[in-house]
Amino acid sequence: MRIEIPVIPPGDGTPLVEALLAIIDAQQQRLAQLEETVQQLRDEIAILKGQKPRPVIAPSRLETPPKPLLAPGSKRPGSDKRSKNASFLTPVEVKIPFPNPPPGATTHGYEEYFVQELVLHGKVTRYLRERILLPDGQTLLAPLPDDVLPGQHFGPTLIAYLLHQHHHCNVTQPLLLEQLRELGIDISAGELSRLLTENHDGFHQEKAELLTTGLAVSSYVGVDDTGARHDGKNGYCTAIGNDLFAYFASTDSKSRLNFLEVLRGVSTAYTINEVSLAYWERQQLPAAVVDKLCAGPAHFADAATWQARLAALGITAKLHVRLATEGALLGQIIEQGAAPDLVILSDGAPQFDLLLHASCWVHAERPLARAVPYNEVHRAALEGVRQQLWTLYQDLKAYRAQPQEAAKTALEARFDAFVGQETAYPTSIGNVLKEMGSHKADLLRVLDRPEVPLHNNGTESIIRGYVKTRKISGSTRSEAGRRCRDTFASLKKTCRKLGVSFWAYLGDRLRGLGQIARLADRIRERAGAATVSPGAAVPV
């Protein structure tokens, strides 16, 4: 529902009229939110009833702008020719002689004809292990071949296939069980679940290395979170990453304390250092509390030791305990190798505002995009402000590509003028500009750190695969299942960023070949190459 209000002449714009317009504006935005919520609930009810929700109608193709004409002699994008068999596996050569050649015919060589095939079927090997008797009465069994996993009755290729299908292709366990049985594999649902969730300590360890190494070699990381139900309860999954790595961690909350614990990784320690002191000063922790914390040991092995220290110092106020713990966690993160000037790029959620923070311009503009105009003048004002915003964004994008000290001051002045402009619509436009002005340092972080993106799209892209898995498979039930979902999502995304085949990676790790380097080593290598190449996205 949209109310069209006639244009009010300048002389009639009394304070009372402006106040009433602000009230109408707030009500219009609230109505739009409620209409969207009602439609979502209607769609959910329709799905529960076995009906179809409201369809998403694509725009008319008649309104699609025509494709640009190609220059004479040029090719369309993606049409360049390439060798069709350049990436083939080593072929098995089979010579086919001509059957019953006519009399007098002579051979004239062979012509190539390639056929690719996938061999997919079950295979059972029956090993007959010789048992020998020693003179002392002891019996020994012949060892199994190296490609047989210890204690497993399923081969490494089968297990790699299960992990790849479930975590990479999002095949649910019931469908995977049906697929295996159709291929001739005799396996129970419980055994399938165990193969997917148990005895993966090596993968968990490598996942832990991703975070520690990624934070140590990166100048910025993007962060985001999404819902992740577990054991019938609402929870959250935090995604951390950049061009080098991706890391997922599912927890029960998304507070700043929880985010710091995620950044700390598998460590349980707490450390007090200069970064901790700077954080406490920023959060205005009382000086008396800080003095107590600094008078004594600066490193604590685990949560029990840390809590005992707080209790011994008489620090019991809930706020003081939380701030002290956040500072000690932040100190431990720096102690593990993260840079004190690490930039954390987010959508503006307050729990991510740590160290040096950068905000996403796309999220900052969304309140303007969601605003519901109530007349043509209001609509024109909204479009004008949005056009100014995106023009400034494009200039910041150009600065990021080619930083120049002279442009830095001009861009900062333009931002101040943009957020400081007076508008006739203080609720829908003025408040958004005021909010952007309060986050000036976060939005203009690119001026001092050109390697930091202006948006958080990269991290949202990272987390999109996790959301897809959640929608298909639903929530996790066991702690082992939740841990494995996070681990293999992290490894899969990191492999993609590093140009490593996830299928080859799984086979290499399960067989213990070690032919594919540790992902943490590849991250260090890629980061080292970025430092010596101009215009690196993630410098050390």
Side-chain angles (χ1 to χ4, degrees):
M1 184 176 112
R2 179 177 297 174
I3 300 177
E4 291 288 341
I5 299 179
V7 179
I8 299 174
D12 296 339
T14 63
L16 176 60
V17 172
E18 295 295 336
L20 291 174
L21 287 176
I23 294 173
I24 294 173
D25 180 27
Q27 290 177 339
Q28 285 290 95
Q29 296 187 41
R30 181 58 178 163
L31 283 173
Q33 295 174 359
L34 292 175
E35 287 176 353
E36 182 178 355
T37 301
V38 168
Q39 187 58 51
Q40 291 175 353
L41 293 174
R42 286 175 175 172
D43 291 343
E44 291 182 6
I45 293 172
I47 293 173
L48 292 174
K49 289 181 176 180
Q51 303 170 354
K52 292 183 178 180
R54 181 183 61 173
V56 178
I57 302 175
S60 171
R61 295 181 63 86
L62 297 177
E63 300 175 2
T64 303
K67 296 181 179 179
L69 296 176
L70 298 175
S74 62
K75 298 181 179 179
R76 62 176 177 80
S79 63
D80 294 336
K81 296 296 183 181
R82 64 178 181 85
S83 175
K84 291 184 170 56
N85 56 5
S87 59
F88 276 1
L89 301 172
T90 303
V92 176
E93 194 170 274
V94 178
K95 287 186 177 181
I96 306 177
F98 195 94
N100 302 320
T106 59
T107 182
H108 200 59
Y110 290 83
E111 181 177 313
E112 289 183 338
Y113 187 87
F114 290 94
V115 176
Q116 297 184 79
E117 178 62 290
L118 179 65
V119 179
L120 192 63
H121 59 79
K123 176 184 176 182
V124 179
T125 302
R126 180 188 181 195
Y127 291 102
L128 299 177
R129 305 171 64 187
E130 183 181 8
R131 183 184 295 275
I132 62 173
L133 178 64
L134 300 181
D136 60 0
Q138 184 181 2
T139 61
L140 297 178
L141 271 177
L144 290 167
D146 294 338
D147 60 348
V148 176
L149 301 179
Q152 280 286 3
H153 293 279
F154 298 93
T157 302
L158 174 57
I159 298 176
Y161 178 78
L162 298 179
L163 295 173
H164 189 272
Q165 288 287 293
H166 186 62
H167 295 289
H168 184 70
C169 302
N170 296 321
V171 180
T172 61
Q173 289 193 33
L175 288 177
L176 198 51
L177 181 63
E178 181 181 354
Q179 182 184 140
L180 291 177
R181 289 175 174 172
E182 289 181 351
L183 293 173
I185 301 298
D186 186 6
I187 187 172
S188 66
E191 188 63 39
L192 172 60
S193 178
R194 285 189 288 273
L195 290 175
L196 292 172
T197 60
E198 296 180 4
N199 300 319
H200 296 312
D201 293 340
F203 290 114
H204 296 317
Q205 174 61 33
E206 191 155 8
K207 178 228 179 180
E209 296 172 3
L210 298 181
L211 180 63
T212 305
T213 305
L215 292 178
V217 303
S218 300
S219 68
Y220 85 92
V221 291
V223 295
D224 199 2
D225 52 37
T226 186
R229 284 180 62 81
H230 172 68
D231 197 19
K233 301 177 182 177
N234 290 333
Y236 302 92
C237 177
T238 302
I240 305 170
N242 52 33
D243 293 339
L244 298 175
F245 76 103
Y247 182 90
F248 296 88
S250 296
T251 52
D252 296 330
S253 71
K254 60 174 184 177
S255 63
R256 177 173 294 179
L257 190 64
N258 173 79
F259 176 58
L260 286 166
E261 290 175 345
V262 170
L263 281 179
R264 184 180 56 170
V266 296
S267 174
T268 60
Y270 298 77
T271 298
I272 298 175
N273 52 25
E274 293 181 357
V275 175
S276 305
L277 298 178
Y279 179 78
W280 290 333
E281 181 180 0
R282 179 184 173 188
Q283 297 297 323
Q284 299 180 355
L285 186 64
V289 177
V290 175
D291 292 340
K292 290 181 180 180
L293 292 168
C294 294
H299 185 78
F300 307 89
D302 51 35
T305 308
W306 171 250
Q307 293 298 331
R309 173 65 175 169
L310 294 179
L313 295 175
I315 302 175
T316 57
K318 187 176 181 180
L319 177 61
H320 295 170
V321 170
R322 178 174 63 81
L323 293 178
T325 304
E326 290 174 355
L329 285 170
L330 189 57
Q332 176 60 27
I333 293 166
I334 303 303
E335 190 74 13
Q336 294 173 184
D341 60 348
L342 177 73
V343 177
I344 297 179
L345 171 64
S346 77
D347 57 6
Q351 70 267 24
F352 300 133
D353 189 0
L354 296 166
L355 299 174
L356 295 181
H357 184 249
S359 291
C360 172
W361 276 76
V362 175
H363 284 83
E365 187 268 347
R366 283 182 180 175
L368 293 174
R370 288 195 298 261
V372 180
Y374 44 79
N375 57 36
E376 288 298 328
V377 177
H378 187 199
R379 184 180 295 106
L382 279 173
E383 289 301 321
V385 171
R386 293 182 66 196
Q387 183 62 40
Q388 294 177 45
L389 186 150
W390 290 123
T391 301
L392 178 59
Y393 174 86
Q394 292 298 331
D395 293 340
L396 287 170
K397 188 177 178 181
Y399 171 88
R400 181 174 181 260
Q402 293 183 341
Q404 296 179 357
E405 191 64 27
K408 182 177 176 181
T409 304
L411 288 169
E412 187 173 355
R414 285 178 57 190
F415 179 86
D416 291 337
F418 170 69
V419 299
Q421 63 182 299
E422 296 292 336
T423 69
Y425 306 97
T427 302
S428 58
I429 300 178
N431 288 348
V432 177
L433 298 179
K434 183 179 179 181
E435 180 71 13
M436 291 182 67
S438 66
H439 293 89
K440 173 183 175 180
D442 299 340
L443 290 169
L444 296 183
R445 187 67 62 191
V446 67
L447 297 181
D448 296 319
R449 303 288 291 274
E451 75 276 9
V452 179
L454 292 166
H455 53 74
N456 203 33
N457 293 352
T459 313
E460 291 193 339
S461 176
I462 289 174
I463 211 168
R464 191 172 295 125
Y466 189 97
V467 174
K468 184 190 298 183
T469 301
R470 182 192 66 203
K471 289 182 176 180
I472 294 173
S473 299
S475 64
T476 52
R477 289 295 178 183
S478 66
E479 284 297 329
R482 177 160 76 167
R483 188 184 184 194
C484 281
R485 175 175 288 189
D486 292 344
T487 290
F488 288 105
S490 305
L491 296 173
K492 178 186 72 173
K493 285 289 185 180
T494 303
C495 282
R496 180 176 296 175
K497 290 176 177 293
L498 299 176
V500 177
S501 165
F502 187 54
W503 168 253
Y505 167 81
L506 291 173
D508 181 87
R509 293 300 186 264
L510 288 169
R511 290 181 174 86
L513 301 178
Q515 296 176 353
I516 296 178
R518 303 286 292 184
L519 297 182
D521 294 337
R522 284 180 172 263
I523 291 173
R524 293 189 192 95
E525 180 183 355
R526 181 73 65 86
T531 58
V532 298
S533 62
V538 190
V540 177

